[in-house]
Amino acid sequence: MASLFSASLPSSDPSYSFNQAPTTASEPRQHAFYPYTDNGGSTLGISGADFTIIAGDTRSTSGYNINTRYAPKLFKIGGDGPNNENARIVLSVVGFAADGRALKERLDTVVKMYKYQHGKDISVHACAQRLSHLLYNKRFFPFYVTAILGGVDDEGKGALYSYDPVGSYEREQCRAAGAAASLIMPFLDNQVNLKNQYDPNSGPGLEKKPREAQPLPRETVEQLVKDAFTSAVERHIEVGDGLQTMIITKDGIQETYSPLKKD
Amino acid sequence: MNHLPQAWGRPRDDVYGAYNPHYLPHSHGGHQAGHPNQHTQSPIVTGTSVLAVKYNSGVVIAADNLASYGSLARFTDVHRLKVFNKKAVVGFGGDVSDMQYLDRLLLSLHVEENYAGSGDVDDKESDVALMSAKNLHTYLSKVMYKRRSEFNPLWNALLVAGLTESNEPFLASADLLGTTFSAPTLATGFGAHLAQPILRRVVPDEEASKALTREKAVEAVKECMKVLFYRDARSMNEYSIAIVDKESGVDLKLDEKLEGQSWAFADRIRGYGTQTA
C-alpha cells in the first residue's frame, strides 16, 4: 500500500517516540477493480502511392511477463466468412488487447453488415468514419486502444487512418502507435516525410530548401518498417518476438511474418 | 388475517413496521442512500497456478487441490480442473466461488449443446455436435469480458485445454479482464513466473510442441508442479492432472502426489551468515 503515509508530521500534540504511528488494523480498505491493463507491443502504418503497409509485433505482455510470443495485433476487416477472405481493409490495435479484440469484432461485423445491406464493399473512408463512431460510442468507458486503419481508397491510393482511444482520427502518410511509438515516430517523420532534411545544393545556410516528401516505393517502405521494429526491439522491453506485416494493394492483402529478438 | 399468501409467515407490518432492506444487496431491494451500487469485489477463497502444455497429439493441464483463504490453507480437496466434454478441460485459478459459478454455467452449456448428440466423457461412439475447446474458450472469454465491462468481474484466470474441431491440440487463456492469448505452454498466477520459463525451455515454440511426446509433456508439467510447491506459499503437494488426447480422450487424475522432492541439502544450512554449528 503506497498510500499509507507513515512519517510523523511536526505538531504540538503528544506523539509516539517511534517514527511509525500504529495504524488501525481493521480499517476498511478501498479495493477497487481496475478494468484496464496494458498488453504492450507496437504497431506502425505507412501509406504509399498504391499500397498501404501495416505492421505490428506479436508479443503480448502483462507487467514483466510475456503472455505469448504470438498474439497478432493486425486484423483483416470485412471480406467473406470468419477468415475474412478477399478483405481489403486492415485494422491494427495496440494497448489493452481485450478491448482491441472487442473493437475488431465490432468493426468486422459492421463492415460485413454494410455489404449485406448495400450490396457493395465499404470504402476505407466510410469504414474509417464508422470506426471513429465505434470508439466515441464508448466515450465515457473507452476502448483502451490506439487503432490504425489501412486500405486502398476509391482512387487506388494507399489510405491510412490513425485514431486516439476515443475516436479522434486523421488520414496520414505514416503513424506509429503503442509502447514504442515515441521511438519509431520521429524516425518516420525523418525518413517518410523527410522532416529536417534540406537539399544541400539549394543555397547557403538558412536559405537551403527543405526536401519534398514523395510517396515511397514499396521496397523502401518494407525496409523502413523492418528497421523501425528492429530498433524498437533493442530499446523497448515490451516489443519483440515476431513482426507481422500486412500489405494492402488493389489486388488484396499480402501477409508476412518474420522473427524478432525474443529477449 | 391477511389472505395474501406472499405475506404468510412474515412479520406483520402493522405491528413491527415495514421490513428494512437496508443491509441487503442492491439486487434484493437494499440500497444505502448516497452510496454507489457496489459489486466490485476482491477474491476471497482462491486457487493458485494452473499450468498446461501442448504436445504432439493433445494437451496436459494441471492444478493443485488447494483453496486458500488468504494465507490459511483452508480447503485441501478442491478440484480446479473441470472436464467439459471429451474435447475440452478448463483449469481455474483465482476465486473459487466464481469458479463454481462458471462450472454451473458450463454444465448448463453442456446440457444445451449436447441435448441432441452425446458429449459424454465416457461415450466413445458419438461425436455429434461436440463443442471444441476453441469454441469453449471463445464462449468463456466473452463471459469474462462482459463481466469486466459491467465492473463485476469473475475473479479468475483460466486455461482452456483440449482440441479444435479438426482435432488439433488447443490451449488458450482468459482472465478477469477478458484478456485472451494462446501459446504452446501457458501458466497462470505464480506459474507465469516460475513454470513458464521451465516449460518454455522444453517447448520454445509450436514446432517443438508438435514434436513433443505425451510422456515428456507430463514429465515437464509434474516437474513444474514441484517447483511451484517449493516456492509458492499458496500451493500444495496434492494436485489434479488431466490429459486431453485426440486418440484416448480425457484422462483426469484428481489426487496425484508430488514425487521426488529434494530437501536433504537443508540440514547443512546453518544460520544466516557466520554461524557454523
Side-chain angles (χ1 to χ4, degrees), chain A residues 76-81 83-87 89 107-108 111-112:
Chain A
K76 293 176 184 174
I77 295 297
D80 313 316
N83 296 322
N84 305 87
E85 273 142 54
N86 306 316
I89 295 173
L107 187 67
D108 189 42
V111 168
K112 281 172 173 161

Side-chain angles (χ1 to χ4, degrees), chain B residues 130-208:
Chain B
L130 200 58
M131 198 169 164
S132 70
K134 199 174 178 206
N135 300 146
L136 183 66
H137 174 255
T138 307
Y139 175 85
L140 281 170
S141 60
K142 302 246 163 175
V143 171
M144 301 300 272
Y145 184 71
K146 178 155 196 300
R147 288 290 293 264
R148 88 96 216 187
S149 299
E150 291 165 347
F151 277 81
N152 186 17
L154 292 162
W155 215 287
N156 298 106
L158 42 93
L159 298 186
V160 183
L163 304 165
T164 61
E165 292 99 299
S166 50
N167 275 339
E168 291 304 308
F170 176 85
L171 174 60
S173 150
D175 70 6
L176 72 164
L177 293 171
T179 314
T180 58
F181 44 84
S182 178
T185 66
L186 284 176
T188 71
F190 234 97
H193 299 99
L194 295 175
Q196 271 286 45
I198 301 171
L199 293 173
R200 281 191 186 140
R201 199 154 58 178
V202 183
V203 191
D205 48 28
E206 289 287 344
E207 287 81 71

